[in-house]
Every structure is written in structure tokens, then in C-alpha cells.
Amino acid sequence: MKNAQKLLVPVLETLGVRGYVAPARWAARAAEEVATVDNTHRAPGGVIDVPSRLLMGPGPANAHPRILAAQCLPLLGHMHPPFLKIMDDLSEGLRYTFQTKSKYTLMVSGTGHAGMEAAIANLVEPGDKVVVGNAGIWGERVGVLARRYQADVVEIKVPAGQTFSYEALKQTLTEHKPAVLFLCQGESSTGTHQSLAGLGELCRQTGTLLLVDTVCSLGGVPLFADQWGVDCIYSGSQKCLSGPPGASPFFMSERAMEKLQRRKTPPATYNLDMNLIGDYWGWFGKRSYHHTAPVSTFYAMREALALVAEEGLEAMWARHQELHHRLWDGLRGLGLKPFVEKDEDRLITVNTIKVPEGVDWAALVKNAMDTYSLEIAGGLGPTAGKIWRVGIMGFNAKPQNVDLVLDAFKDGLKRQGKL
Ligand SMILES: Cc1ncc(COP(=O)(O)O)c(C=O)c1O
């Protein structure tokens, strides 16, 4: 105020205007002009320094170099025809990866959690009954999320390391006839593989939509969305698909879409409303702006799905299976045991290993990182402190990586006098 007054008054006086007081708006502008930059908090300059690590935990896995390179391509506008073509390629690549003919496939802009929230927000109307299979932290989290969208959640639980039997699920579905049944195909906190056999058929009998989390399993283990009658799937880019985090492969069946279109109220999220996002992806014929797609991440995923197509799903599944056996042959040789008791319940992409009595699990993890620049992880949620988790996913699913993990276990156990 004072500054403006000081500057303006002499000028105005020469023009014969006396006793002028600067209006408040001008005074505020003058105050802005004298503000100075505060340098206390400032990003460090210089080139980013990222150490090289082999990521053999539950994810992210290392990205394939071809996928990383795709991210360096020049940006396109998010509505430019060549970019819309890349989005079409993504939808088509996802149809193959999910094994579906459904029109409704896309990449949600965000990580697996965004896919999870999109699924719940679009499939669930307030008051809908949702049966949530809790076999670890991902089921637990979906229960929390569904309650936030006002679902009437019925949680069913198995002890960590076990899966739901067909009979138990049949009984629950018959009793509750829920709008949605949630199951996690690859429960990464416990290392279990939930079988989906026959469930699509059961869900059709009770008017239920079958929703499946495949964040840690897509591309690593068999999945047949149409043949198995799955209605909605979300997944992750940074696990068996070898991409960077930030895109969530997503699928809806015709039944799921019908439910979305029958809703009395729109989904409570604008960001993840599949009616609106579907419009951007051309699901309904036209294409309109909803948000700016993460252009470079979508280039990366275009490349990731090209790699899936080039290798072929059967070959990918077989590669993951083979390396799972290689890992366990070695681990058993070191006297280590699987956390998941039954062979058929064991997830091959995230392997969970019991920490033997008297072994410091964290010291072994630290030694792997310090000595081998190798990430293996401890447990999470119900398994914290009880297990190690070793991921064999995507680009990292190679014999030499598994052998390095085995060397790190051998060395880690030796250093603790356990071998
Ligand atoms: C089975 C499962 N579901 C969901 C998620 C969440 O994915 P994101 O961390 O990409 O949001 C994860 C992450 O590891 C996961 O393992």
C-alpha cells in the first residue's frame, strides 16, 4: 500500500491530481511485486542418481529395456489420432492378455489401487451386498474400500496361507446372493493362488458379478476371463507385465456393463467413472476428453503387451512355472519350507518362504541388498516377520536371477551360522 502510494502520488501530482490514495487492488498488486523468492525448500539440482537393483520382491519387478525405451519417445497429445490408435492397441492387447472378446478393456490411469477403486466404485451401488474373500491384505483392503462406497460387506476369511474352497464359496453365494463376489487370484501377502474354477457359473445362478484382483498374477498364471465367467478384473503393470507402475489393466464383461448402465445413481467418483473413461477409450462409439492419459506410461504398456503377444501366453505361463520349480528345488536344498502348505494353493509368481526358528529374516534381506544389490522382501500384514517373499515375475523370470536369489539365501543363512 505504502509503496504504491509512494510511486503513484508524485506522478499524479505532476498531472495536477492531489491527495490521491491508491485503491486496495493496486496496493495488493504492488505488494506482490515486492515479494521475494524463498529459497529454503528447493529441489536438488543435477542429474538424478538411481542405483541398479534386481527387484525380486513382490513388485515392482524390473521393467524390460524395450518398455523403458518406449517411455523416452516424444509425447503426443492425448487426443491425437496416433495416440488414440495406441489406446486401441492397448485395448486389443488386453483382450488377449485377459482372454476376452469383451469390448470393455482399458488401462486405468493409475496403479493397481486405481483399478481396485474403479471396480468397486462402478460395480457397487450404495446398499449392495458384496462378499469379500479375505485371504490376506488385498481382500481386507477391498472390504474397506467397498464400505466407503456404502456396500453392505460380508467378509469371509481363511487363515493366511489358505484359499477358499469351491464348496465354501457356493454356500456363501447361495446364502447371501450378493451383487458382487471379490476374490484375489494371486494374494501377494501370503503367496496363495485362488482357483476360480466353476465360480463364474455359480455367480450367474445367484445374480452375482465376479470381481478378481490379478495384480500379481496376470501374465504369470493362466486366466480365461470369458471361459471362466469373470465379470471384472483389475491388474498391475509393474509385475508380470514388466512395465513401470502407473497403469492398471482393466476389464468388464457385458453383464458388468449392464449393471453399470442400470445404476440409479452415477458412481461416486468422477475420476474413475467407467461411463466417462469408456467414452475416452471409444467404448461407446465416440471419443471425448475425460483426463490427460499418462502418455509415456501408455507407450510403455503398448510395448509390454506387444512383448506378451510375441512370447505368447502359454509360453509365459510355462516360463513362470519352470522358474518357480527351479527356485523351490534350490530353497528345499537349503532346508527352507514353503509357507503355503498345499501345492495347488501356491502362487508361482510370489513365493512365500517360512523363516526358520532362530533366523533373523531382516538381516538376510539386508545382506541380499548390501552384497548382491538384490531385493527380496519380508512378509506383509498377517505374514509380517514370519516369511520371506520372492517374486519371479515378467522380465525378471530368468534362471540366472533365480540362481542369484538362491546364492543370497545360502550366503545369508551361512552368515547366521544356519548352514
Ligand atoms: C495382489 C495385489 N493387489 C493390489 C495391489 C496394489 O497395487 P498397486 O501397489 O500397484 O496400487 C498389489 C500391490 O502389490 C497386489 O500385490
Side-chain angles (χ1 to χ4, degrees):
M1 175 75 129
K2 269 194 196 136
N3 257 343
Q5 189 84 3
K6 226 194 284 169
L7 291 171
L8 271 172
V9 167
V11 177
L12 290 170
E13 278 180 353
T14 59
L15 298 171
V17 182
R18 299 200 174 270
Y20 178 80
V21 177
R25 196 152 51 97
W26 289 16
R29 172 75 58 82
E32 274 174 21
E33 278 165 12
V34 295
T36 52
V37 171
D38 176 358
N39 282 308
T40 329
H41 304 288
R42 201 170 156 156
V47 178
I48 187 172
D49 179 22
V50 179
S52 167
R53 289 191 170 151
L54 180 60
L55 305 176
M56 299 292 283
N62 294 83
H64 192 291
R66 228 174 95 181
I67 296 175
L68 288 177
Q71 293 185 106
C72 302
L73 295 170
L75 286 185
L76 284 168
H78 56 286
M79 296 297 288
H80 290 188
F83 186 67
L84 297 180
K85 163 77 171 62
I86 288 170
M87 290 169 73
D88 290 344
D89 291 347
L90 287 172
S91 293
E92 190 65 354
L94 286 177
R95 276 180 206 109
Y96 173 66
T97 312
F98 287 133
Q99 286 293 287
T100 181
K101 294 197 165 32
S102 169
K103 190 154 70 165
Y104 310 118
T105 57
L106 54 71
M107 290 283 178
V108 176
S109 302
T111 68
H113 275 87
M116 184 192 294
E117 185 143 359
I120 294 294
N122 285 274
L123 298 188
V124 175
E125 283 194 84
D128 274 354
K129 196 170 264 192
V130 176
V131 168
V132 174
N134 176 349
I137 73 150
W138 301 110
E140 189 183 310
R141 196 156 294 189
V142 166
V144 170
L145 193 63
R147 283 190 193 95
R148 291 195 184 191
Y149 283 90
Q150 299 171 49
D152 173 9
V153 174
V154 177
E155 191 182 274
I156 52 172
K157 210 169 168 174
V158 281
Q162 294 181 26
T163 63
F164 297 96
S165 69
Y166 174 84
E167 290 70 28
L169 291 168
K170 182 173 181 181
Q171 200 184 330
T172 310
L173 285 176
T174 314
E175 183 186 341
H176 294 285
K177 299 191 173 42
V180 176
L181 166 66
F182 167 82
L183 292 169
C184 184
Q185 188 187 29
E187 180 42 85
S188 56
S189 66
T190 59
T192 51
H193 181 165
Q194 174 64 51
S195 164
L196 302 171
L199 297 179
E201 185 53 40
L202 266 185
C203 283
R204 269 150 192 76
Q205 289 164 21
T206 54
T208 303
L209 295 177
L210 177 57
L211 164 63
V212 180
D213 175 326
T214 67
V215 172
C216 271
S217 52
L218 187 69
V221 308
L223 174 76
F224 295 93
D226 286 358
Q227 283 180 49
W228 294 353
V230 183
D231 293 297
C232 186
I233 302 174
Y234 62 86
S235 193
S237 48
Q238 73 276 24
K239 313 265 183 175
C240 302
L241 299 182
S242 315
S248 174
F250 191 84
F251 148 84
M252 282 170 83
S253 68
E254 284 288 346
R255 290 171 82 222
M257 181 50 75
E258 277 162 26
K259 176 151 194 321
L260 172 61
Q261 297 195 327
R262 272 200 322 267
R263 288 179 69 110
K264 293 186 211 71
T265 51
T269 164
Y270 188 92
N271 261 338
L272 298 170
D273 181 338
M274 282 298 151
N275 277 313
L276 305 177
I277 299 180
D279 249 349
Y280 180 23
W281 283 79
W283 281 1
F284 312 113
K286 58 188 169 69
R287 300 193 85 132
S288 20
Y289 166 72
H290 171 263
H291 65 282
T292 307
V295 173
S296 311
T297 308
F298 282 8
Y299 294 166
M301 294 319 292
R302 155 68 178 73
E303 210 61 4
L305 295 182
L307 285 161
V308 172
E310 286 165 28
E311 184 175 3
L313 283 171
E314 296 97 327
M316 271 182 88
W317 299 335
R319 175 163 57 89
H320 285 83
Q321 180 80 47
E322 204 176 293
L323 291 164
H324 162 78
H325 288 313
R326 187 181 184 104
L327 176 76
W328 277 104
D329 285 349
L331 290 174
R332 285 205 171 88
L334 297 173
L336 295 169
K337 299 207 168 67
F339 175 68
V340 179
E341 298 290 333
K342 291 190 190 156
D343 286 356
E344 66 272 24
D345 284 347
R346 223 166 277 146
L347 182 61
I348 61 172
T349 53
V350 179
N351 297 270
T352 50
I353 303 145
K354 272 187 194 161
V355 177
E357 217 32 62
V359 171
D360 179 347
W361 69 268
L364 189 139
V365 165
K366 184 171 182 319
N367 182 55
M369 183 57 80
D370 294 348
T371 314
Y372 301 87
S373 218
L374 167 71
E375 181 191 49
I376 42 189
L380 181 67
T383 58
K386 296 185 195 156
I387 61 169
W388 290 288
R389 293 183 300 159
V390 172
I392 308 182
M393 294 189 279
F395 179 62
N396 280 354
K398 291 191 188 120
Q400 63 269 36
N401 292 344
V402 169
D403 293 349
L404 190 75
V405 167
L406 291 170
D407 285 349
F409 268 99
K410 193 170 178 183
D411 183 30
L413 291 172
K414 260 195 190 152
R415 283 174 191 251
Q416 296 189 39
K418 302 292 175 188
L419 268 187

